[in-house]
Coordinates of all heavy atoms in Angstrom, one line a residue:
L5 N -48.3 -50.3 9.4 CA -47.8 -51.6 9.8 C -48.0 -51.7 11.4 O -47.8 -50.7 12.1 CB -46.4 -51.9 9.4 CG -45.6 -53.0 10.0 CD1 -44.8 -53.7 9.1 CD2 -44.8 -52.6 11.3
S6 N -48.4 -52.9 11.9 CA -48.4 -53.1 13.3 C -48.2 -54.6 13.6 O -48.5 -55.4 12.7 CB -49.5 -52.5 14.0 OG -49.3 -52.4 15.4
G7 N -47.8 -54.9 14.8 CA -47.7 -56.3 15.2 C -48.3 -56.6 16.6 O -48.3 -55.6 17.4
I8 N -48.7 -57.7 16.9 CA -49.2 -58.2 18.2 C -48.4 -59.5 18.5 O -48.3 -60.4 17.7 CB -50.7 -58.3 18.2 CG1 -51.4 -57.1 17.8 CG2 -51.2 -58.9 19.6 CD1 -52.9 -57.1 17.9
K9 N -48.1 -59.6 19.8 CA -47.3 -60.8 20.2 C -48.3 -62.0 20.6 O -49.3 -61.8 21.2 CB -46.5 -60.6 21.5 CG -45.3 -59.7 21.3 CD -44.7 -59.4 22.6 CE -45.6 -58.4 23.4 NZ -45.0 -58.1 24.7
F41 N -48.9 -58.2 11.5 CA -48.2 -59.5 11.6 C -48.3 -60.0 13.1 O -48.7 -59.3 14.0 CB -46.7 -59.4 11.2 CG -45.9 -58.5 12.0 CD1 -45.1 -59.0 13.0 CD2 -45.8 -57.2 11.8 CE1 -44.3 -58.2 13.8 CE2 -45.0 -56.3 12.6 CZ -44.3 -56.9 13.6
A43 N -46.2 -61.3 16.0 CA -44.8 -61.1 16.4 C -44.4 -62.2 17.3 O -44.1 -62.2 18.5 CB -44.8 -59.7 17.2
H46 N -40.9 -62.0 18.9 CA -41.0 -61.2 20.2 C -41.6 -62.1 21.3 O -41.2 -61.8 22.5 CB -41.8 -60.0 19.9 CG -41.1 -58.9 19.2 ND1 -41.2 -58.7 17.8 CD2 -40.2 -58.0 19.7 CE1 -40.5 -57.7 17.5 NE2 -39.9 -57.2 18.6
Q83 N -44.3 -63.4 11.7 CA -42.9 -62.8 11.7 C -41.9 -63.8 11.4 O -41.0 -63.6 10.6 CB -42.7 -62.1 13.0 CG -41.4 -61.4 13.2 CD -41.3 -60.8 14.6 OE1 -41.8 -61.5 15.5 NE2 -40.6 -59.7 14.8
Q110 N -40.5 -51.1 29.1 CA -41.1 -52.5 29.0 C -40.0 -53.6 29.5 O -40.4 -54.5 30.1 CB -41.5 -52.8 27.5 CG -42.1 -54.2 27.3 CD -42.7 -54.5 25.9 OE1 -43.6 -53.7 25.6 NE2 -42.4 -55.4 25.3
Y129 N -35.0 -56.6 22.4 CA -36.2 -56.6 21.7 C -36.6 -55.3 20.9 O -37.1 -55.4 19.8 CB -37.3 -56.7 22.9 CG -38.7 -56.7 22.7 CD1 -39.5 -57.8 23.1 CD2 -39.4 -55.6 22.2 CE1 -40.9 -57.8 22.9 CE2 -40.8 -55.6 22.1 CZ -41.5 -56.7 22.4 OH -42.9 -56.7 22.2
M133 N -38.0 -54.9 17.0 CA -39.2 -54.1 16.6 C -38.8 -53.0 15.6 O -39.6 -52.7 14.7 CB -39.8 -53.5 17.9 CG -41.0 -52.7 17.7 SD -42.0 -52.5 19.1 CE -43.0 -51.1 18.6
D136 N -38.7 -54.6 12.3 CA -40.1 -55.0 11.7 C -40.6 -53.8 11.0 O -41.2 -53.9 10.0 CB -41.1 -55.3 13.0 CG -40.6 -56.4 13.8 OD1 -39.9 -57.3 13.3 OD2 -41.1 -56.4 15.0
I137 N -40.4 -52.6 11.6 CA -41.0 -51.4 11.0 C -40.2 -50.9 9.8 O -40.8 -50.6 8.8 CB -41.1 -50.3 12.1 CG1 -42.0 -50.8 13.3 CG2 -41.6 -49.0 11.6 CD1 -41.9 -50.0 14.5
V145 N -47.5 -46.3 12.4 CA -47.5 -47.5 13.2 C -48.6 -47.4 14.3 O -48.4 -46.7 15.3 CB -46.1 -47.8 13.9 CG1 -46.1 -49.1 14.6 CG2 -45.0 -47.7 12.8
P146 N -49.8 -47.9 14.0 CA -50.8 -47.8 15.1 C -50.5 -48.7 16.3 O -50.4 -49.9 16.1 CB -52.1 -48.2 14.4 CG -51.7 -49.0 13.2 CD -50.2 -48.5 12.9
V147 N -50.4 -48.1 17.5 CA -50.2 -49.0 18.7 C -50.9 -48.4 19.9 O -51.3 -47.2 19.8 CB -48.6 -49.0 18.9 CG1 -47.9 -50.0 18.1 CG2 -48.0 -47.7 18.9
D150 N -48.3 -47.9 25.4 CA -47.1 -48.5 26.0 C -46.0 -48.7 25.0 O -44.9 -48.9 25.3 CB -47.5 -49.9 26.6 CG -48.1 -50.8 25.5 OD1 -49.0 -50.3 24.7 OD2 -47.8 -52.0 25.6
Q151 N -46.3 -48.6 23.7 CA -45.3 -48.8 22.7 C -44.6 -47.6 22.1 O -43.7 -47.6 21.3 CB -45.9 -49.6 21.5 CG -46.4 -51.0 21.8 CD -45.2 -51.8 22.5 OE1 -44.1 -51.9 21.9 NE2 -45.4 -52.5 23.6
H154 N -40.8 -47.4 22.3 CA -40.1 -48.2 21.3 C -40.1 -47.6 19.9 O -39.2 -47.7 19.1 CB -40.8 -49.7 21.1 CG -40.6 -50.5 22.4 ND1 -41.5 -51.5 22.7 CD2 -39.7 -50.4 23.3 CE1 -41.0 -52.1 23.8 NE2 -40.0 -51.4 24.3
Ligands
LTN402 N1 -43.6 -54.6 20.8 C1 -45.0 -54.6 20.4 C2 -45.3 -55.7 19.4 C3 -44.5 -55.4 18.2 C4 -44.9 -54.3 17.3 C5 -43.8 -54.5 16.2 C6 -45.8 -53.3 17.2 C7 -43.5 -56.0 17.7 N2 -43.1 -55.5 16.5 C8 -43.8 -53.5 15.2 C9 -45.8 -52.4 16.1 C10 -44.8 -52.5 15.1 C11 -45.7 -55.0 21.7 O1 -45.2 -55.4 22.7 N3 -47.0 -54.6 21.7

Side-chain angles (χ1 to χ4, degrees):
L5 168 141
S6 196
I8 301 181
K9 290 173 289 181
F41 67 96
H46 280 97
Q83 185 187 29
Q110 182 170 305
Y129 179 118
M133 178 160 165
D136 299 337
I137 297 168
V145 187
V147 280
D150 58 318
Q151 294 304 311
H154 292 159

